[in-house]
Amino acid sequence: MNILLTGASGFISQNLGQVLTAAGHHVVPVSRRDGGDFSALQTVERWLPRLRGMDAVINAVGIIGETGSQRFRALHVAAPIALFDACCEAGVARVIQISALGADDSAFSAYHLSKKAADDHLRQLDLDWFVLRPSVIYGRGGTSAEMFMRLARLPVLPVIGDGRQRLQPVHIGDVVATVMACLTARETRRTLDIVGNEKIEYVEWLQRLRLVQGGNRALVLRLPVRLAMLGAWLGQPLSPMLRPENIRMLIKGYHADGRPWRDFLGRPAMAFSPALLCADAHQALTQLGGQA
């Protein structure tokens, strides 16, 4: 298939591109690195030339925090909506939108609300669409995974409140495998929450990552929510991850019913292991195939 892949320089897209190419697909990337500024592609007319000859579109553009010209409204709403409308006009029926867990009716953050706006628009179109909502993703090269790994190496583990927020981390290989299945699935127009098999408390997730890196279980520093919010606000210039809204999203947790997704994929998520933590999607899926 000829596949247009947006956000091609990001963590998810880099893994997708490698697996898609290995499977024999022709991937046409769209990213600033490839000369395509996604935030400037906000009209149908700008997208139509890029859609010629395409069989499918995968939108994997996403930012966790706004910086400079990288704004939620442009990247998560205006450009994707223009792309989806252009797909209708160009006759590219198969569209896969990489959204985020929490981009649903309970959404409250600007991040989740902007993702949901594009998701809702896509669901109204006469296309063979999929909306995929992954939980916290781990695997080699992931920004959030690397942040958690750094936190886990601290002498004392900082957590928000009691640190018992529930997570269902999922490996990047499972996200990529889902996209691959969506490309050929007969039953389309589905929204799928991609989550790991186990629900783990945030503090235990950090302890697990610490043990994987050769450390011992550490003492825990429980930060009051207000103090964590203040720290995130003061640290905003240092990292897009440091946003008060991201703290509120973590407090809410990242978990969902994964049964519909597991039924679609035909297997459970890959069980966590130290090897998987350091593996990209291609390595993980190759190993999974060898085990099968």
Side-chain angles (χ1 to χ4, degrees), residues 4-10 13-14 28-39 41 47 50 61:
L4 188 78
L5 176 61
T6 69
S9 59
S13 287
Q14 286 184 358
V28 177
V30 178
S31 71
R32 285 182 295 171
R33 181 183 300 173
D34 303 294
D37 184 353
F38 196 73
S39 62
L41 300 169
W47 279 111
R50 296 177 179 271
V61 169

Side-chain angles (χ1 to χ4, degrees), residues 11 15 18 138-142 145-146 171-172 276-281 283:
F11 171 55
N15 280 270
Q18 183 182 17
Y138 68 94
R140 182 161 61 90
E146 290 177 352
H171 192 266
I172 182 62
L276 270 185
L277 191 64
C278 303
D280 61 24
Q283 292 167 333

Side-chain angles (χ1 to χ4, degrees), residues 27-71:
V27 178
V28 177
V30 178
S31 71
R32 285 182 295 171
R33 181 183 300 173
D34 303 294
D37 184 353
F38 196 73
S39 62
L41 300 169
Q42 298 187 33
T43 65
V44 170
E45 291 71 26
R46 285 183 174 271
W47 279 111
L48 286 176
R50 296 177 179 271
L51 293 174
R52 293 193 189 104
M54 294 297 111
D55 300 304
V57 165
I58 303 169
N59 177 41
V61 169
I63 56 171
I64 194 64
E66 294 182 320
T67 58
S69 63
Q70 304 294 289
R71 315 301 292 181

Side-chain angles (χ1 to χ4, degrees), residues 31-288:
S31 71
R32 285 182 295 171
R33 181 183 300 173
D34 303 294
D37 184 353
F38 196 73
S39 62
L41 300 169
Q42 298 187 33
T43 65
V44 170
E45 291 71 26
R46 285 183 174 271
W47 279 111
L48 286 176
R50 296 177 179 271
L51 293 174
R52 293 193 189 104
M54 294 297 111
D55 300 304
V57 165
I58 303 169
N59 177 41
V61 169
I63 56 171
I64 194 64
E66 294 182 320
T67 58
S69 63
Q70 304 294 289
R71 315 301 292 181
F72 289 139
R73 178 68 191 174
L75 296 175
H76 290 177
V77 185
I81 286 177
L83 171 59
F84 303 154
D85 289 344
C87 287
C88 288
E89 189 167 329
V92 182
R94 185 79 41 151
V95 177
I96 302 168
Q97 159 81 339
I98 309 294
S99 185
L101 197 66
D104 51 32
D105 291 339
S106 68
F108 60 88
S109 68
Y111 169 76
H112 279 128
L113 289 170
S114 62
K115 280 288 189 179
K116 182 178 182 296
D119 300 347
D120 289 345
H121 185 85
L122 177 59
R123 284 189 280 250
Q124 296 172 1
L125 301 178
D126 186 20
L127 294 169
D128 294 330
W129 55 262
F130 286 90
V131 174
L132 306 181
R133 302 192 298 211
S135 180
V136 173
I137 303 173
Y138 68 94
R140 182 161 61 90
T143 301
S144 62
E146 290 177 352
M147 179 193 71
F148 289 135
M149 293 282 278
R150 288 195 299 269
L151 286 173
R153 290 195 294 267
L154 294 174
V156 178
L157 300 183
V159 300
I160 301 163
D162 60 9
R164 300 186 64 182
Q165 301 84 9
R166 291 185 299 169
L167 309 176
Q168 281 177 278
V170 66
H171 192 266
I172 182 62
D174 283 324
V175 179
V176 170
T178 306
V179 174
M180 299 297 288
C182 290
L183 289 172
T184 56
R186 292 185 179 182
E187 183 183 350
T188 61
R189 303 189 179 189
R190 301 193 61 179
T191 299
L192 299 169
D193 291 330
I194 305 176
V195 295
N197 301 322
E198 63 173 331
K199 293 179 182 178
I200 184 170
E201 294 177 352
Y202 174 65
V203 64
E204 288 304 316
W205 176 241
L206 291 183
Q207 295 282 20
R208 178 179 291 182
L209 296 180
R210 184 178 183 87
L211 294 175
V212 165
Q213 297 177 86
N216 298 317
R217 289 182 66 87
L219 295 175
V220 176
L221 174 63
R222 291 175 171 82
L223 300 173
V225 173
R226 288 186 179 180
L227 182 59
M229 291 286 194
L230 177 61
W233 183 77
L234 292 173
Q236 289 182 86
L238 303 177
S239 169
M241 297 288 290
L242 292 174
R243 296 289 187 275
E245 280 202 337
N246 293 345
I247 299 295
R248 286 193 287 268
M249 289 190 289
L250 179 60
I251 292 171
K252 179 183 176 183
Y254 289 89
H255 54 89
D257 181 3
R259 286 174 294 182
W261 167 65
R262 292 193 294 268
D263 290 343
F264 172 79
L265 193 59
R267 63 167 176 81
M270 289 182 275
F272 176 86
S273 71
L276 270 185
L277 191 64
C278 303
D280 61 24
H282 186 265
Q283 292 167 333
L285 294 174
T286 299
Q287 181 181 3
L288 184 68

